[in-house]
Amino acid sequence: MATTPETPQVYSPSAEFVAAANMKGHAEVARQAELDLPGFWGARAAEFEWFKPWDNVLDESNKPFYKWFVGGKVNIVYNCLDRHIKTWRRNKLALIWEGEKGEVRTFSYHALNREVCKFANVLRSMGVKKGDRVTIYMGRVPELPMAMLACAKIGAVHSVVYGGFSVEALHGRIDDSQSHVVITCDGGYMNGKIVELKRIVDEALKRCATVENVVVVKRTGHEVPMESGRDFWYHDLLNLPMARASTSETEVMDAEDPLYLLYTSGTTGKPKAILHTHGGYMVGVATTLKWVFDVKEEDRWWCTADPGWVTGHSYLVYGPLLLGATSFMYEGAPTFPYPNRWWSMIEKYGITLLYTAPTAIRGLMRFGEAWPNRHDLSSLRLLGSVGEPINPEAWRWYHRVIGKERCPIMDTWWQTETGMFAITPLPTMDLKPGSAARPFPGMEADVYTEAGTSAAVGEEGFLVLKRPWPAMLRTLYKDPQRYQDQYWSKYPGVYFTGDSARKDADGYFWIIGRVDDVIKVSGYRLGTAEIESALVSHPAVAEAAAIGLPHEVKGSAIYTYVMLRTNYEPSEALAEELKAHVGHEVGPIAKPEKVSFVPSLPKTRSGKIMRRVLKARAQGLPEGDLSTLEE
Ligand code: PRX
């Protein structure tokens, strides 16, 4: 196996691990999948319960609007809950939850199903129907997955907005989805402080016309305004006679019916809604989780992601429930009250599989090894990473200090758009720190030159996916044209990921980063345009540009350049005010690291800001081709 200069070491899994793995002989499986893609995915889909089987696994007649399991009738929630409560898993734990303050709540599959049914009845009685969009804006409490599942159960389309987003981001997402119902909490706990979720909803709703009802989960119990006739407490609704029935019919959905919208940042200020469906998404997410994380009946799975991001959707909510697994979910900050919080919970609950982000690993690494070393982490058997490239140093720390050199690390590359892991190791493969290894069976990936030919070994190029996969996005909600333009037009017929990568002599992929105007801050995806539009909504700002620059813990941090309106003067106080303004409009994660006041911005003759020039200048690098520059 070839190595690269940065990573002289290859880590091979132990023979015991390989012998016990869910997925053995991956090379042969991948070869079979390549030869017969519909046969491969059809066999995976047959592991689930369908109300009616599909007629055709893959319909490619209207590319790039691929359809999967055409004619099949299914509901993902039926396979997450209804299916299990007919078996012994009824009394198996589905969810263990710990609040930031240490409270513990547990739900068996039976109990989770009961809560979901009750809330589904409430939503139905509020008039929510198949196809209606519902916005969910909550902290990390068990009612968040319950709300998602209740929506999906009745055929409504959930749109979860990350609870760390703020007024303008929330408003834009509610407005675009035309939701009539918003589900939220009075507040959430994060780092010992209250996040004012309900007040943010109230402020956002002043700017939205569609919302008729707000359902509020009481989490913090602090005083929040409730608008009579519009706002209802979740617990009050669950006590109404219509909710009491602990059963509720699961809607029969077409395999291609929408399951959810998830807004994500792209290259324009307007966030785009990725649309996922019931059938293909179910099959893709469950198969990838089962094989990559080797999930077994007796495992305790912990995906640290927030349900507000795709990782939470696929691998905190749907994936583990589809597999009948036991998941752990934690509400708060990793360092609250001390930097051993995560390690203590791994010990307390006997977590076996841990899936987290490089930024969290780097953040916890800073506090030193003494914190994890104080805990018994021997229950762990497999680790995972997602969201951004993991630097080999963090990989090795994670492997040595957390995994005790025993646990393989799955560096999973995927996107909101892919819905499921696309390039990822399998636990039986050799691992190279910093590489996401190979395409999952059935996936075909490549690195392209600008001209659309395969790049040479070791040459940096654009990462593309060349065959459809079941959990792929189906379109951008209300914007099929943008779906085609953004993903399928740079290289016709080939999916353009927006990432750059290299492939080594073993066919391992090394992801480098985004090539568009997306910034990954602590693994969170933000668009430069969203930050810029928040800045120019401040009265002092005439024009603004945002770029991402490397940051030791966050991966990238946001740097902004601001041209002021004529009667404003640059000052430290104004810079602070602008940072706070972005925090208020978009969310705390979007707060710029730095605001620099500039007399002009580098632009093309057609007026487009040349962010690459700003980036090069900030890093003291050559500015590249400036032939189109007009400052
Ligand atoms: O740039 C890649 C990076 O995250 C982007 C997708 O972001 P998002 O849609 O928010 O989904 C994140 C969780 C799936 C990708 O285009 N990315 C994700 N995973 C990795 C990664 N970069 C390198 N290595 C990864 N494992």
Side-chain angles (χ1 to χ4, degrees):
M1 161 125 344
T3 56
T4 63
E6 317 91 276
T7 59
Q9 215 169 340
V10 172
Y11 295 78
S12 304
S14 70
E16 300 90 287
F17 202 104
V18 175
N22 280 344
M23 225 315 286
K24 299 185 189 71
H26 55 80
E28 179 53 25
V29 173
R31 208 180 61 85
Q32 288 298 334
E34 195 182 324
L35 292 176
D36 179 11
L37 193 66
F40 172 75
W41 285 115
R44 310 283 81 75
E47 293 174 19
F48 296 94
E49 286 191 30
W50 295 73
F51 300 122
K52 175 183 168 287
W54 56 93
D55 305 314
N56 184 5
V57 171
L58 172 60
D59 174 358
E60 303 191 78
S61 61
N62 184 24
K63 295 175 187 175
F65 299 95
Y66 295 92
K67 288 185 181 157
W68 286 85
F69 307 107
V70 184
K73 300 283 180 194
V74 72
N75 188 312
I76 193 170
V77 176
Y78 191 90
N79 283 287
C80 288
L81 297 174
D82 308 48
R83 185 168 60 113
H84 301 310
I85 59 165
K86 293 187 286 185
T87 71
W88 66 271
R89 284 203 199 92
R90 177 184 186 83
N91 294 323
K92 179 177 175 176
L93 281 186
L95 183 65
I96 304 169
W97 175 86
E98 185 167 305
E100 201 182 64
K101 294 176 153 191
E103 319 91 306
V104 180
R105 295 168 69 192
T106 57
F107 300 87
S108 63
Y109 272 89
H110 170 75
L112 183 62
N113 181 63
R114 179 190 65 219
E115 296 305 306
V116 170
C117 285
K118 290 206 288 187
F119 193 50
N121 291 334
V122 167
L123 289 175
R124 277 202 178 107
S125 73
M126 291 176 108
V128 178
K129 301 179 306 299
K130 187 169 178 167
D132 288 352
R133 277 82 52 214
V134 173
T135 297
I136 300 176
Y137 178 70
M138 299 170 81
R140 275 201 293 266
V141 289
E143 286 78 5
L144 170 45
M146 287 170 193
M148 293 164 71
L149 293 160
C151 286
K153 184 178 175 78
I154 66 170
V157 180
H158 57 71
S159 163
V160 183
V161 179
Y162 170 57
F165 275 129
S166 198
V167 181
E168 186 46 39
L170 176 61
H171 156 242
R173 286 157 174 79
I174 296 174
D175 219 33
D176 188 73
S177 66
Q178 302 271 296
S179 296
H180 294 283
V181 173
V182 174
I183 307 166
T184 188
C185 298
D186 49 357
Y189 286 114
M190 190 52 70
N191 256 319
K193 295 194 206 82
I194 288 180
V195 183
E196 293 284 354
L197 297 166
K198 174 62 165 66
R199 286 176 197 273
I200 293 171
V201 169
D202 288 341
E203 217 181 310
L205 292 194
K206 286 187 198 144
R207 309 181 196 178
C208 302
T210 57
V211 175
E212 290 158 14
N213 291 123
V214 180
V215 179
V216 188
V217 172
K218 189 171 259 183
R219 167 60 186 131
T220 55
H222 76 301
E223 179 82 26
V224 292
M226 294 288 281
E227 193 180 301
S228 152
R230 187 195 71 179
D231 303 349
F232 298 94
W233 289 107
Y234 182 90
H235 57 268
D236 286 343
L237 294 172
L238 286 193
N239 277 327
L240 294 175
M242 78 234 178
R244 283 226 189 98
S246 50
T247 57
S248 170
E249 199 189 324
T250 304
E251 198 74 32
V252 174
M253 306 297 285
D254 194 274
E256 282 291 305
D257 275 338
L259 168 63
Y260 67 78
L261 302 179
L262 188 52
Y263 286 86
T264 189
S265 301
T267 43
T268 71
K270 198 170 159 280
K272 53 190 179 181
I274 307 290
L275 186 130
H276 284 295
T277 55
H278 274 257
Y281 179 78
M282 170 181 86
V283 175
V285 164
T287 308
T288 47
L289 182 61
K290 182 172 170 186
W291 289 2
V292 174
F293 281 95
D294 197 42
V295 179
K296 304 260 171 52
E297 208 64 82
E298 61 276 21
D299 271 312
R300 287 219 163 158
W301 163 252
W302 182 15
C303 165
T304 68
D306 192 282
W309 301 90
V310 75
T311 309
H313 281 62
S314 297
Y315 298 111
L316 191 156
V317 180
Y318 290 110
L321 294 174
L322 286 167
L323 299 182
T326 301
S327 271
F328 173 66
M329 176 176 174
Y330 166 58
E331 176 183 42
T335 50
F336 187 84
Y338 301 109
N340 66 332
R341 182 65 184 265
W342 276 16
W343 319 128
S344 75
M345 293 187 299
I346 289 172
E347 178 173 10
K348 178 173 172 190
Y349 298 104
I351 304 296
T352 57
L353 310 168
L354 173 68
Y355 187 34
T356 191
T359 184
I361 299 162
R362 288 191 297 263
L364 290 165
M365 233 169 109
R366 276 190 317 171
F367 294 99
E369 294 178 25
W371 292 101
N373 285 347
R374 225 178 271 160
H375 296 277
D376 176 5
L377 304 180
S378 62
S379 57
L380 289 171
R381 63 182 196 90
L382 195 60
L383 303 172
S385 169
V386 62
E388 51 174 321
I390 178 163
N391 46 311
E393 189 198 351
W395 196 102
R396 291 203 186 88
W397 188 87
Y398 195 27
H399 189 256
R400 181 175 58 81
V401 179
I402 307 307
K404 310 294 179 203
E405 297 183 342
R406 184 187 66 240
C407 307
I409 298 178
M410 302 296 101
D411 176 0
T412 60
W413 178 90
W414 59 296
Q415 309 178 299
T416 307
E417 290 87 344
T418 69
M420 65 183 220
F421 309 147
I423 301 177
T424 173
L426 285 161
T428 50
M429 277 181 186
D430 285 342
L431 302 172
K432 302 184 189 188
S435 167
R438 292 168 183 277
F440 189 78
M443 304 291 297
E444 193 185 337
D446 201 359
V447 177
Y448 270 13
T449 62
E450 184 64 44
T453 53
S454 288
V457 167
E459 189 190 344
E460 178 174 346
F462 299 108
L463 181 66
V464 296
L465 302 176
K466 296 173 70 177
R467 292 186 94 176
W469 61 99
M472 66 197 298
L473 77 165
R474 295 302 190 267
T475 188
L476 293 175
Y477 180 59
K478 296 194 297 198
D479 205 349
Q481 189 60 46
R482 190 170 167 200
Y483 166 71
Q484 300 202 44
D485 295 348
Q486 193 136 4
Y487 303 106
W488 302 95
S489 68
K490 186 167 171 74
Y491 306 112
V494 170
Y495 174 85
F496 176 66
T497 63
D499 277 12
S500 63
R502 267 187 259 122
K503 213 160 93 169
D504 71 16
D506 299 315
Y508 273 45
F509 286 77
W510 298 75
I511 313 296
I512 297 163
R514 299 289 308 188
V515 292
D516 56 8
D517 296 323
V518 167
I519 310 179
K520 286 291 213 135
V521 182
S522 301
Y524 296 130
R525 179 163 161 180
L526 293 165
T528 51
E530 280 169 281
I531 298 154
E532 290 160 4
S533 95
L535 280 169
V536 297
S537 73
H538 188 282
V541 178
E543 284 190 67
I547 57 168
L549 292 177
H551 185 280
E552 214 176 299
V553 174
K554 299 179 187 172
S556 307
I558 300 166
Y559 284 73
T560 58
Y561 300 85
V562 165
M563 284 167 61
L564 290 174
R565 291 188 185 279
T566 36
N567 29 17
Y568 288 87
E569 289 298 320
S571 71
E572 206 38 55
L574 183 56
E576 287 308 314
E577 187 179 319
L578 293 177
K579 285 184 197 173
H581 179 71
V582 176
H584 181 263
E585 291 294 305
V586 186
I589 47 164
K591 255 191 195 175
E593 200 76 8
K594 190 163 174 205
V595 174
S596 306
F597 297 105
V598 290
S600 65
L601 288 168
K603 286 187 185 167
T604 61
R605 263 167 229 128
S606 58
K608 249 184 98 182
I609 296 169
M610 294 177 81
R611 295 190 189 83
R612 71 171 169 83
V613 173
L614 286 170
K615 232 169 146 159
R617 283 181 190 166
Q619 298 180 95
L621 299 170
E623 292 179 15
D625 177 12
L626 296 181
S627 55
T628 58
L629 177 70
E630 187 162 273
E631 188 120 11

